[in-house]
Amino acid sequence: MKHVRMPGRRRLAAAAAITALATTGGTMATIPATAAPVLVPATAADEPPQTTTVRFPLNAEVVSAGATGFLSRTNGPGPELRWTRYADGTSTVLPLSPLRGGASDVVVTGDHDTDITKFRVVKIHDMATGAAPVEVDLNGLGENYVYRGAVGATLVVGVKQADGTMEVRLLTKTGGVLDERTVTGLPVGTMGFSVTAVSADSFALAAAAGPAEARTYHRAAVDVRTAAVTDLYGTTGTQRVEGALSPTRMTWREEEGPTLVVGKRGTAETQRLPLDGFARYGLVGDWLLAARPYVLGQDTRTDPRRALIAVKPDGSDGRVLLEHMSSFVPGPDGSVLVRGGTAEHGEGLYRVTLGEDGTPAAELVASTGEPTSVTLLGSDVPAVIDLDRAKDGIDFTWRLSRKNVKVSLTLTRKGGPDWSARTIWMPGGDYPDLGPGKVGWSWHGENVEVPERTAPGGEYVWTISVLPLDGIGPAVRASGSVIVHRTPGAHDYDGNVDPELFARDASGKLWVAPAFYDESRGSLVGFASPVGSGWSIYDRLESSGDIAGTAVADTLARDKSGVLWLYQGSGDAAKPFLGRVKVGSGWQTYDKLAGGSDLTGDGRADLVAADKAGDLYLYKGTGNATAPFAPRRKIGFGWGVYNDLTAVGNLAGGPAGDLVARDKAGVLWLYLGKGDGTFASRVRIGGGWTPYTQLIGVGDANRDGRPDLMARIGWQSYFYAGTGDWRAPFKQARDGQVLGELPGYDEAF
C-alpha cells in the first residue's frame, strides 16, 4: 500500500484566540485559531505525493479502524457497513448495527438497529482473520446485563445490582468459554456509566455515583488486561458518551462553558480549555486534535466541514493537519483515523500519528478520488433551446464536487442592450431533488432582466461562479453559450413573441413600450422608453409586420409629401429600427393603411390601403427591403364608409389574417381572410365604437395564442382579448393603460 505523507508542521494564522487555564499547576496560554485555516505549503523535505491503492467509499464516514483495515458507514438512504483491507483494498459488507469507533480489527454488531444498550445478542467479527463471528447471548446471563461497548474482542457490560448500583464487567469468549471479570477501582455507589472512548487495551468511561440528592460525576480510564481503573477524575455535568484517550492523556467535555478538560494520566493534573460547543476532539499522544467549525460563511446544514487542528495540552503551538474533517476514530498504536481532506491531496481517510520530531502528521491511506477544493465535475446545459416548444421550462444543471457553496449564474444576451443580463443565486443546499452535488436553475423563457417579459431569441452566454462557503480552495468559474430559437410574434420588434406598442408625442418624439397584458393585474406590464425625436415629419405611422425579411416586425412611415418609408425592425426593442429605406411616392392618395396580417398565406405580412375613393388595394409583401411590395392589386370597393381599418392577424383560425373596420356610425365589422388576399362577407361585431380615436391590432398581448385588439381614447387605452370565435371575436374591454405616463401623444401603432 502506498501513502501520501502530509507535512508535519503547518501553522495556523492568528485570527482569534482560545484561552487555556490550567486548574492544577497550569499556566495561562493561548490557542491560535482562524476562521479559514490555510495549510503551509510543503517543504522540500516532505515526501513527494504518491497515489493510494485503497479507495474509501463515497459518501461515507469512518466508524472504526484497526491494524489491517477500516470500517465505514455510508450516509443517506440505504446505509451500508463495509470493512476495507489496507493490503489490497478488498472489502466485506457487515450487518447494519450502531457502532462506536474501536482501535481494533474486531467489529462488534448487535441485534438492535439504533441503540447499543438494547443489544441482547452480540456478534464479534475478527476482520483480520476472517473467522466466523463469535456470538455472545446476554439473555443467558440475565436481564440485568446491559451492553455498553467493546475494546477489541472484550465486551464492556453494566450489571445492575439488587441495591440499584451498577458494576462494570468485562466479557471475553474464547473456545466457547465465556470469561467474566469485574472492573475494580470505580467510585463507591456507581449508579450508571457510559463508555466514552477506547484504545487498543483500555477504555474511558463517564460514571455517576451516589444517591440522586448527592450525585457525583467521574471520568475514569480502565486497563482491560487488569480490569482495574488506572485514572479517576471528579467532574461536573452528565454522562455524555464522548471523550478521547491516549496512553498519556484523556479528555472529556463539561457542560459549563462549554469546557474541554484534558487530564494528564498518572496524575491529578487537568487543563481546562474553553471550547466551541460544536467542536469534535481526540488525542494523539500529548496532542489534542480539535475539529473546529469554520466561522466565515460556514453552511453546516449541507456540508459540516471543519478544520482538524492539533494543539498541545496547554493550548499552545496550534497547527492545521487537515483543511476539513467530518469524522474520526481512534486507531491502533495511538493513532487517529480521520475522514477528511486537503486541497493538495483531496478527500479520503487520513492517519494521524506522531512524527519523528514528536509532532502530529497526517498521511492519506485511502482516497475517495474526490477533490477537497470545489470542482466543477460537469454540466448539463443545452446548446440549443427552442423556447416556442419548451412549455415546461429548460433545466440548466451543474455537478459539483460538494454543495456547501454559494452559486451565482449570470445569463447574458449576446449583442443585446446593456441591461439584457440577469444574475441568479443558487444556494447549493437548496436543490436536494437534483441529486448529489447538483445545483441548477430552470428557465421558462422569461426575459433575463425583466422576468415579466419574455426572452427574445439569439445567443446567450451563461457564466457560473461557485464560491466555497468554508473557504477551502478558490472560487470556481465556468461559462458557455446557448442558442435560443424563438419565432417572433405579431407586432414583435425584439423577437420575444410579446408585442411592442409605439406612440408619438406632441413634440415628435417616438416612444416604445412592451405590450404584455397581465390578466392577474388587469393592465399592461412595462414602461415606455424613448426611441428618438424628429418623427413629426410623418403624417402616418403603421406597424407592418415583417415585410423585409428580418424576422421581427417593421414600420411604415408616410411623410407629408406622400413618400412612404420603411423602417426595418432591428431585433432590439431599445433601438428598434435600422436605417430607413424609401418605398415610393404617391401614397398620399390613401387615407387608410392596415399592415401586419398575412393575407395571402405565404408566411409574409401584407399591406392593404384604401384610397379616398373607397377602393381597397392589396400590397403583397416580398421580403425584399429595397422593394418590399409587389405591384398593388385591387381587391374591393366601397370602403369609404369606414373611418378606421385595422389588420388584426388570424382572429378565428381561418386560412389567413383578418381585418376589422369601423364605419361612421361606430359599428365594428370583421372581414375574415380567405388566404388569397380577399375576404369573406363582413360580420357585424357590435356598435358603440365611435368614442375610440384609434384601433390597433396589437398581436397576442396576453400570451393565450390568440390576437388581441387595443383601442384608445386620448391618453387612455383599453384591451380587448381575442376569443378565437369569429362570431364574438373579442372579450369585454379591460383597462389597458400603458402609455398614459407619456406627456401626451397624437398617434399610437
Side-chain angles (χ1 to χ4, degrees):
M1 177 184 58
K2 297 179 180 179
H3 306 302
V4 176
R5 184 85 177 169
M6 304 298 296
R9 291 197 173 271
R10 302 181 184 268
R11 301 288 178 180
L12 278 169
I18 300 176
T19 302
L21 300 178
T23 60
T24 307
T27 58
M28 182 176 291
T30 300
I31 303 177
T34 181
V38 178
L39 294 179
V40 175
T43 65
D46 295 317
E47 286 188 29
Q50 302 178 47
T51 303
T52 61
T53 58
V54 178
R55 286 288 184 180
F56 191 87
L58 295 174
N59 194 31
E61 301 297 337
V62 61
V63 293
S64 184
T68 67
F70 60 87
L71 186 68
S72 60
R73 181 185 177 99
T74 54
N75 300 317
E80 179 185 77
L81 281 177
R82 182 179 292 273
W83 179 269
T84 302
R85 292 173 55 85
Y86 292 125
D88 53 17
T90 59
S91 61
T92 303
V93 176
L94 293 171
L96 279 175
S97 182
L99 295 166
R100 292 176 188 155
S104 171
D105 290 318
V106 174
V107 177
V108 177
T109 62
D111 56 352
H112 195 275
D113 293 337
T114 59
D115 189 350
I116 66 170
T117 65
K118 294 182 180 180
F119 284 0
R120 301 311 300 162
V121 178
V122 299
K123 292 184 178 181
I124 303 169
H125 308 261
D126 188 339
M127 305 309 299
T129 64
V134 175
E135 185 175 293
V136 175
D137 188 350
L138 298 181
N139 294 308
L141 299 175
E143 294 182 356
N144 58 334
Y145 279 69
V146 181
Y147 179 80
R148 293 292 188 182
V151 182
T154 300
L155 308 183
V156 181
V157 297
V159 182
K160 197 77 170 181
Q161 304 299 298
D163 61 359
T165 61
M166 180 174 283
E167 291 183 349
V168 180
R169 297 187 187 177
L170 307 180
L171 306 181
T172 306
K173 192 172 186 179
T174 306
V177 177
L178 187 64
D179 179 58
E180 185 172 346
R181 295 177 292 157
T182 300
V183 172
T184 61
L186 288 171
V188 176
T190 295
M191 305 300 296
F193 75 96
S194 298
V195 175
T196 61
V198 299
S199 65
D201 53 12
S202 61
F203 66 96
L205 58 81
E213 65 274 13
R215 188 65 46 89
T216 59
Y217 298 93
H218 310 267
R219 294 283 175 150
V222 179
D223 186 290
V224 172
R225 290 168 295 187
T226 62
V229 172
T230 58
D231 300 276
L232 184 64
Y233 302 90
T235 186
T236 63
T238 60
Q239 302 177 61
R240 299 185 62 148
V241 289
E242 58 182 56
L245 187 66
S246 79
T248 58
R249 304 280 174 171
M250 64 180 294
T251 65
W252 63 92
R253 185 164 51 177
E254 294 185 346
E255 297 291 343
E256 297 178 1
T259 301
L260 182 66
V261 182
V262 182
K264 184 176 182 180
R265 297 186 64 179
T267 74
E269 179 183 334
T270 59
Q271 301 270 354
R272 304 179 72 84
L273 307 177
L275 186 70
D276 189 299
F278 294 100
R280 301 280 302 279
Y281 54 91
L283 286 167
V284 175
D286 288 335
W287 287 79
L288 176 69
L289 303 181
R292 296 181 53 78
Y294 284 108
V295 177
L296 180 63
Q298 174 78 13
D299 188 351
T300 56
R301 297 170 304 166
T302 57
D303 195 351
R305 297 188 170 221
R306 304 177 173 115
L308 185 67
I309 301 170
V311 295
K312 289 182 178 179
D314 63 1
S316 65
D317 201 17
R319 64 194 62 203
V320 175
L321 298 180
L322 299 177
E323 287 177 299
H324 106 268
M325 64 77 58
S326 56
S327 58
F328 56 69
V329 296
D333 302 324
S335 64
V336 172
L337 277 297
V338 187
R339 170 65 178 90
T342 69
E344 182 181 3
H345 298 293
E347 294 294 293
L349 185 66
Y350 288 78
R351 179 183 289 116
V352 178
T353 57
L354 296 180
E356 295 178 357
D357 59 357
T359 61
E363 60 179 353
L364 179 63
V365 295
S367 172
T368 66
E370 302 168 301
T372 295
S373 297
V374 177
T375 303
L376 181 63
L377 302 177
S379 62
D380 187 6
V381 180
V384 179
I385 296 174
D386 187 342
L387 287 180
D388 294 335
R389 298 170 180 253
K391 304 302 182 184
D392 296 326
I394 300 294
D395 291 332
F396 289 37
T397 59
W398 294 265
R399 289 183 294 109
L400 305 174
S401 59
R402 54 184 171 92
K403 290 178 68 175
N404 62 332
V405 293
K406 189 174 184 179
V407 183
S408 67
L409 167 67
T410 300
L411 191 65
T412 305
R413 184 185 174 207
K414 193 171 182 180
D418 293 340
W419 48 261
S420 61
R422 180 185 179 191
T423 297
I424 304 103
W425 290 98
M426 300 182 294
D430 290 349
Y431 297 85
D433 295 340
L434 294 177
K438 283 189 177 182
V439 295
W441 174 66
S442 185
W443 192 21
H444 293 84
E446 67 273 19
N447 187 280
V448 293
E449 177 65 16
V450 186
E452 293 87 354
R453 302 185 64 189
T454 51
E459 183 178 2
Y460 288 75
V461 176
W462 59 264
T463 302
I464 187 173
S465 178
V466 184
L467 178 67
L469 290 176
D470 55 19
I472 300 177
V476 175
R477 291 178 177 83
S479 63
S481 62
V482 55
I483 302 297
V484 173
H485 291 310
R486 172 155 262 170
T487 302
H491 232 282
D492 179 8
Y493 283 79
D494 59 7
N496 70 344
V497 179
D498 287 343
E500 279 75 43
L501 277 176
F502 292 86
R504 180 179 59 188
D505 66 24
S507 70
K509 181 181 290 186
L510 193 66
W511 299 77
V512 63
F516 163 55
Y517 189 84
D518 189 335
E519 296 281 1
S520 63
R521 298 185 185 183
S523 66
L524 288 161
V525 176
F527 297 94
S529 57
V531 174
S533 58
W535 289 78
S536 56
I537 65 173
Y538 301 115
D539 64 4
R540 182 61 190 260
L541 298 169
E542 180 74 15
S543 180
S544 63
D546 175 25
I547 59 174
T550 60
V552 296
D554 305 322
T555 289
L556 294 169
R558 184 181 65 188
D559 66 26
K560 295 175 182 178
S561 67
V563 175
L564 192 66
W565 300 88
L566 168 66
Y567 284 87
Q568 287 182 268
S570 68
D572 181 354
K575 299 176 181 178
F577 303 126
L578 303 176
R580 71 177 187 173
V581 176
K582 184 177 180 180
V583 176
S585 58
W587 287 77
Q588 69 272 18
T589 188
Y590 301 115
D591 60 358
K592 290 180 284 292
L593 299 175
S597 284
D598 175 15
L599 303 176
T600 57
D602 62 358
R604 288 191 295 269
D606 306 305
L607 179 72
V608 292
D611 63 19
K612 296 174 183 178
D615 293 333
L616 187 69
Y617 292 90
L618 169 70
Y619 284 87
K620 183 178 179 181
T622 65
N624 184 350
T626 58
F629 298 117
R632 72 177 187 172
R633 176 164 63 97
K634 185 175 180 178
I635 58 173
F637 58 89
W639 288 72
V641 299
Y642 301 117
N643 58 19
D644 203 344
L645 185 63
T646 303
V648 290
N650 193 327
L651 279 178
D658 310 318
L659 297 178
V660 293
R662 182 184 62 186
D663 65 25
K664 297 174 182 178
V667 176
L668 197 65
W669 300 88
L670 169 64
Y671 284 86
L672 294 174
K674 294 181 178 180
D676 60 359
T678 64
F679 303 95
S681 299
R682 68 180 187 173
V683 176
R684 189 178 191 272
I685 294 176
W689 291 75
T690 301
Y692 295 120
T693 55
Q694 191 176 6
L695 304 176
I696 305 170
V698 70
D700 181 15
N702 62 357
R703 301 176 186 166
D704 65 355
R706 296 185 289 266
D708 307 311
L709 184 71
M710 294 288 295
R712 74 179 185 94
I713 303 175
W715 293 2
Q716 181 67 43
S717 58
Y718 294 88
F719 177 71
Y720 287 86
T723 65
D725 183 355
W726 63 270
R727 292 163 296 187
F730 301 115
K731 297 180 182 178
Q732 187 175 357
R734 301 281 299 275
D735 184 356
Q737 189 71 16
V738 66
L739 301 173
E741 71 272 18
L742 298 177
Y745 59 92
D746 58 11
E747 187 171 13
F749 62 93

